[in-house]
Amino acid sequence: MAQNIHPENDEKYIGLTVNEGISSPPTVNPYLHKTRKKRKQYTSTEFVEGILKGDRTILSQAVTLVESANYEHQLIAQEVIEKCLPHSGKSIRVGITGVPGAGKSTSIDTFGMHLIGSGKKLAVLAIDPSSERSKGSILGDKTRMEQLAIQENAFIRPSPSAGSLGGVARKTRETIILCEAAGFDTVFVETVGVGQSETAVHSMVDFFMLLQVPGTGDELQGIKRGIMEMADGIVINKADGNNIDKAKLAQGQFRNALHLFPATDSGWKPQVLTYSGYYGTGIAEIWEMVYQYIDFTKENGYFDFKRNEQSKYWMYESINEQLRESFYRNPEIQKMLTEKEHKVLNAEISSFVAAKQMLDIYFKGLTTKK
Ligand code: GDP
């Protein structure tokens, strides 16, 4: 009996003895253990193996680590990224931008179905700088892409929501690496056409696509020149029904405007096409244009040149971001930040002096730590 195997139950022992317990009663809810099951924490090697096999659940969990602010998670994430790097880089990365309502989700759904239909595997990522304020990202949401969301060969991930634009963009760039290692040969990075985020997206894609809608005939006015200059292709959506003439008019205007721009670094002449995301017309032509661009730039060496430049850019961005984070996370700095801000606002010290005082303390802290 179990009772006898306890040394306390030896006849010579004079302390308390151990009684035989009763077996635990059967659980009332036999399915409870299933719902309570803790998610398995994979090692970095298990993550990499899963990703290389194309396991989307593991890929998804790895992306969650990439996005996590937790230090331990970041350590594993960085190891996973490093091991995935040799298996990355083989996809075609396409940036897609347009103002809200331009038809990004409808178009990505249609573009995606077109690509999957031709045997591609597509990852859809997003950079949404507004998500920090709105506490939730709208871009890249699966419900916006109804057809794609249920495809085996599509992986849709909303924008990482925490941190500065630089931080959000870095996470998306790292996610691209994981998706490529998982076998996705086409990557979309979506963003809203309202400002800085285009530059971030432009710095991580091969082809940058600007989505436009035909309107009153003065489409050009609303667009920042910088965004048009970044575009390798402008595609005018909603060229259907009563809109067809307007779309053609807008196409002409954009073509004329592009003529006035200086030649691009790639030597490629940005094209202007019309299509309907809703009815799926003109889609094949858009992808012919993208592939033409890829062939053209691979041939003249610009494709590799741009990717190298992007890597260099991200090296500096990572340094900047981590320095900034380290500074603001420093407890000494956190203690004095509000007080210094106050003094600057009350004109007691200049902003430069305040900054210098804090930086001096920060750097002194670093040298004394050594
Ligand atoms: P997003 O905000 O850029 O993602 O835009 P959505 O894809 O949500 O589209 C905004 C609106 O435009 C929706 O009501 C769509 O139904 C409509 N829409 C999108 N693509 C087309 C199109 O090709 N033709 C027409 N007529 N409407 C479209």
Side-chain angles (χ1 to χ4, degrees):
M1 281 309 273
Q3 204 170 348
N4 296 326
I5 60 168
H6 289 280
E8 295 90 336
N9 291 346
D10 193 286
E11 279 174 7
K12 289 181 197 130
Y13 182 71
I14 48 166
L16 289 172
T17 57
V18 176
N19 288 327
E20 193 180 5
I22 55 162
S23 55
S24 58
T27 164
V28 179
N29 178 358
Y31 300 107
L32 195 63
H33 70 283
K34 282 191 182 162
T35 49
R36 279 230 190 115
K37 203 162 106 189
K38 243 187 124 188
R39 185 191 268 180
K40 183 176 179 328
Q41 181 60 61
Y42 297 107
T43 62
S44 63
T45 315
E46 285 171 328
F47 267 121
V48 176
E49 277 170 11
I51 291 172
L52 294 182
K53 261 191 249 152
D55 184 325
R56 295 191 330 172
T57 315
I58 294 186
L59 171 65
S60 219
Q61 289 180 21
V63 175
T64 305
L65 289 191
V66 167
E67 292 173 354
S68 168
N70 178 309
Y71 181 69
E72 302 288 314
H73 292 171
Q74 273 304 313
L75 285 184
I76 305 177
Q78 292 309 318
E79 255 181 71
V80 175
I81 293 164
E82 219 175 292
K83 288 181 186 156
C84 283
L85 260 177
H87 307 277
S88 70
K90 292 185 202 95
S91 81
I92 288 171
R93 307 165 181 167
V94 180
I96 297 180
T97 191
V99 292
K104 290 182 293 303
S105 28
T106 316
S107 302
I108 290 174
D109 208 27
T110 319
F111 291 165
M113 292 308 288
H114 173 79
L115 292 173
I116 284 175
S118 61
K120 304 276 184 218
K121 283 186 81 180
L122 171 71
V124 180
L125 312 176
I127 289 185
D128 182 2
S130 67
S131 61
E132 172 71 350
R133 262 168 286 139
S134 59
K135 293 289 166 222
S137 167
I138 24 166
L139 291 188
D141 184 349
K142 285 184 189 156
T143 54
R144 296 166 61 234
M145 296 153 198
E146 288 176 0
Q147 299 179 83
L148 264 193
I150 51 169
Q151 295 299 314
E152 185 63 17
N153 285 335
F155 178 78
I156 304 175
R157 186 84 189 186
S159 171
S161 59
S164 59
L165 170 61
V168 169
R170 175 188 53 83
K171 289 168 190 170
T172 304
R173 194 176 141 87
E174 289 176 346
T175 302
I176 294 180
I177 293 168
L178 301 189
C179 290
E180 288 177 344
F184 289 93
D185 52 29
T186 313
V187 177
F188 287 176
V189 186
E190 178 190 11
T191 195
V192 189
V194 285
Q196 279 296 304
S197 51
E198 280 86 3
T199 318
V201 173
H202 186 250
S203 66
M204 63 178 83
V205 298
D206 306 312
F207 188 97
F208 193 71
M209 189 186 286
L210 171 63
L211 252 61
Q212 275 299 124
V213 274
T216 51
D218 48 23
E219 283 75 25
L220 287 172
Q221 288 179 10
I223 310 178
K224 291 200 187 78
R225 188 190 154 95
I227 295 178
M228 258 184 85
E229 256 171 322
M230 278 193 272
D232 301 302
I234 297 175
V235 291
I236 300 163
N237 188 18
K238 307 192 187 183
D240 47 49
N242 298 333
N243 269 333
I244 292 185
D245 289 342
K246 278 191 205 164
K248 291 274 167 223
L249 186 70
Q251 185 180 30
Q253 287 186 332
F254 278 112
R255 279 186 179 152
N256 288 339
L258 285 175
H259 278 310
L260 304 175
F261 283 7
T264 57
D265 293 345
S266 58
W268 166 260
K269 284 196 180 63
Q271 297 186 18
V272 187
L273 300 175
T274 63
Y275 77 107
S276 166
Y278 213 65
Y279 295 99
T281 51
I283 308 293
E285 288 78 356
I286 291 176
W287 291 94
E288 266 165 39
M289 163 180 73
V290 175
Y291 291 128
Q292 254 178 28
Y293 171 89
I294 301 291
D295 289 345
F296 178 80
T297 53
K298 276 194 172 163
E299 222 158 85
N300 72 8
Y302 184 77
F303 187 90
D304 288 333
F305 167 79
K306 189 175 174 188
R307 284 214 172 169
N308 288 340
E309 286 293 303
Q310 290 176 336
S311 298
K312 202 169 81 184
Y313 171 86
W314 282 99
M315 181 186 85
Y316 286 110
E317 278 296 297
S318 295
I319 295 174
N320 294 346
E321 193 214 336
Q322 286 183 33
L323 280 179
R324 187 185 308 135
E325 262 189 26
S326 155
F327 176 79
Y328 286 110
R329 262 209 217 129
N330 185 302
E332 296 268 315
I333 301 300
Q334 283 181 348
K335 261 188 258 158
M336 66 178 70
L337 206 57
T338 331
E339 177 213 320
K340 297 283 180 204
E341 196 184 298
H342 236 82
K343 285 191 172 166
V344 170
L345 290 177
N346 291 333
E348 287 172 40
I349 48 173
S350 79
S351 41
F352 300 105
V353 172
K356 184 165 185 322
Q357 285 172 353
M358 286 189 280
L359 285 167
D360 282 348
I361 286 169
Y362 174 74
F363 287 123
K364 213 169 138 203
L366 290 188
T367 47
T368 49
K369 245 191 229 166
K370 273 186 193 162

